Amino acid sequence: MEESVLRVGTRKSQLAMIQTHNVIDALRQIHPQVQFEIVTMDTIGDRILDKALPEIGQTNLFTKDLEIALADQKVDLIVHSLKDLPSTLPEGMAIAAIGRRAMTADVVLMNPKYRNTKISDLPQNSVIGTSSLRRIAQLKRKYPHLSFKNVRGNLNTRIKKLDESGVYDALVLAGAGVLRMGWQERIDQELTTDECLYAIGQGAIGVEIRKNDAKTFSVVSCYTDFNSLICNAAERAFLRFLDKGCSVPIGVCTDFTESKLTMTGAVFNLDGSKYVKHSDECMITGLSDKNQCENNYESLSSIMCSSEICKSLMEAETLGKHIADVILKNHGGEVLAEARKIMKADQK
């Protein structure tokens, strides 16, 4: 490929910059002739900090401004935490690569007075900081003696609030972000999937492009990790057929080992008192005949891939859709409708 410059859109936070540099470093190893220029910007989610995320009333809080820049050709690609991306992207956009997944679990960081303890050890009415309805719903079920309070800001800000504000006894955060920041010594507990199923896409980094930009796709597609792609295709298909956004309490656990894809999905009402959960598995049969798929196939979950692996991608998506269908047939839609009704009332 001839020498060229690609402009990379990202948020301004320290974590976003670390993730962006990780992607660029990986791409430079394969495409040393390509120059990368980072373009940073604040998103709606970065600017509105006085409300819990669900109260703002949008699902693309951390992506919309970046996607506008992509549509206007001010950037050529965007680096995202994949869990921030709704299952349906704007017209003309697609996920061109998904990197190797880091830790999927949520983790607990304790206030200094409770260091080296577990969430089950906290006293009655201890305050847990999180803005995630998914975490709150599940942890209320497991630990009804705890209270939950919104906490906003980047990771640095939230940890400062934990240590200095006197409001929070613990925070629950995505483990991958904590590890990427180099703060592994602050982790007091890794939550199991029995305690808290994780968010769709959690732990993975995605690269979004204009789907008609073959040149950029040819550069960034090499960043894709096949196992991560398969798991995230299933999860995003599951989300798409349950809810168009990613705010209501929905959790997953996915594993892909020796061609077998196993997935658990669940939906919850806001206090966790009602939930519907289902697990299933399928075999991923492998690479496709090139004639079976269109070139650079774009999946139902807005993921682009080469024609050779699109069959595997579709098999993963089929499993995700199947689990969503089973949940809906077992009154999962009613559970989500209850959550949405309360959320809508809270936004007024």
Side-chain angles (χ1 to χ4, degrees):
M1 182 177 178
E2 62 182 20
E3 185 170 337
S4 60
V5 177
L6 290 179
R7 297 157 300 170
V8 184
T10 185
R11 294 164 63 196
K12 293 180 179 179
S13 73
Q14 184 181 354
L15 176 59
M17 293 299 292
I18 288 171
Q19 294 179 161
T20 299
H21 281 291
N22 287 346
V23 173
I24 290 173
D25 290 345
L27 294 176
R28 278 179 175 151
Q29 294 293 316
I30 300 171
H31 301 287
Q33 74 282 14
V34 177
Q35 300 296 313
F36 295 92
E37 174 187 320
I38 296 176
V39 179
T40 62
M41 61 190 73
D42 287 322
T43 64
I44 300 168
D46 298 311
R47 295 191 295 269
I48 302 176
L49 296 175
D50 59 344
K51 293 182 179 181
L53 295 175
E55 292 176 6
I56 301 174
Q58 291 182 233
T59 58
N60 56 352
L61 297 172
F62 296 109
T63 63
K64 183 176 180 179
D65 298 88
L66 292 161
E67 288 170 334
I68 290 172
L70 185 61
D72 292 343
Q73 302 194 31
K74 294 178 180 178
V75 298
D76 301 297
L77 61 137
I78 310 169
V79 175
H80 296 288
S81 292
L82 194 62
K83 68 183 179 66
D84 291 337
L85 276 175
S87 61
T88 304
L89 301 185
E91 183 68 27
M93 309 296 174
I95 299 168
I98 298 174
R100 180 176 294 179
R101 206 168 196 174
M103 177 191 285
T104 54
D106 291 309
V107 296
V108 181
L109 281 63
M110 292 292 182
N111 181 285
K113 65 184 176 183
Y114 293 122
R115 286 304 313 270
N116 302 313
T117 61
K118 294 189 175 183
I119 197 168
S120 58
D121 301 325
L122 290 172
Q124 184 80 18
N125 296 321
S126 292
V127 177
I128 310 302
T130 178
S131 296
S132 165
L133 298 178
R134 170 188 57 82
R135 293 174 184 140
I136 293 170
Q138 295 181 83
L139 293 175
K140 275 186 174 180
R141 284 185 59 82
K142 197 77 174 178
Y143 306 109
H145 68 290
L146 300 176
S147 298
F148 296 86
K149 186 176 179 62
N150 174 56
V151 59
R152 292 292 316 283
N154 59 40
L155 284 182
N156 308 67
T157 300
R158 280 180 274 174
I159 288 181
K160 186 176 181 180
K161 289 179 180 179
L162 172 67
D163 292 344
E164 300 178 8
S165 72
V167 173
Y168 304 99
D169 297 300
L171 297 181
V172 182
L173 302 169
V178 177
L179 294 180
R180 287 173 183 142
M181 293 288 284
W183 296 340
Q184 50 267 26
E185 74 283 353
R186 285 300 309 258
I187 296 175
D188 291 290
Q189 181 182 1
E190 179 180 335
L191 295 175
T192 67
T193 52
D194 286 336
E195 293 172 299
C196 193
L197 294 171
Y198 48 81
I200 281 78
Q202 187 156 308
I205 297 174
V207 179
E208 186 178 8
I209 67 170
R210 295 180 294 274
K211 64 182 180 182
N212 62 357
D213 187 353
K215 180 180 178 181
T216 300
F217 180 77
S218 70
V219 173
V220 304
S221 58
C222 63
Y223 180 69
T224 288
D225 175 82
F226 182 71
N227 283 24
S228 184
L229 180 88
I230 293 302
C231 290
N232 282 287
E235 292 174 17
R236 288 178 60 80
F238 172 73
L239 176 64
R240 178 166 185 165
F241 287 98
L242 284 177
D243 185 80
K244 298 300 182 185
C246 50
S247 295
V248 292
I250 296 175
V252 294
C253 176
T254 312
D255 178 71
F256 182 45
T257 304
E258 296 182 352
S259 300
K260 185 170 75 173
L261 177 63
T262 304
M263 180 176 170
T264 296
V267 301
F268 304 85
N269 67 348
L270 294 187
D271 65 5
S273 61
K274 300 176 185 176
Y275 75 100
V276 182
K277 185 176 182 180
H278 184 68
S279 301
D280 214 326
E281 63 186 40
C282 73
M283 299 302 294
I284 303 298
T285 58
L287 300 182
S288 308
D289 186 307
K290 288 187 178 183
N291 295 325
Q292 289 182 300
C293 300
E294 297 177 6
N295 190 38
N296 297 342
Y297 168 75
E298 181 189 350
S299 71
L300 292 174
S301 50
S302 303
I303 300 171
M304 288 178 67
C305 68
S306 64
S307 57
E308 289 89 346
I309 62 175
C310 73
K311 182 181 177 184
S312 297
L313 193 67
M314 288 188 286
E315 290 170 334
E317 287 183 328
T318 299
L319 177 63
K321 182 180 183 298
H322 166 70
I323 293 173
D325 286 340
V326 172
I327 286 175
L328 291 173
K329 289 175 182 176
N330 286 277
H331 307 290
E334 297 167 24
V335 172
L336 289 177
E338 178 184 324
R340 291 190 193 100
K341 183 177 179 179
I342 297 173
M343 288 168 60
K344 188 174 181 180
D346 289 344
Q347 290 164 11
K348 292 181 179 180

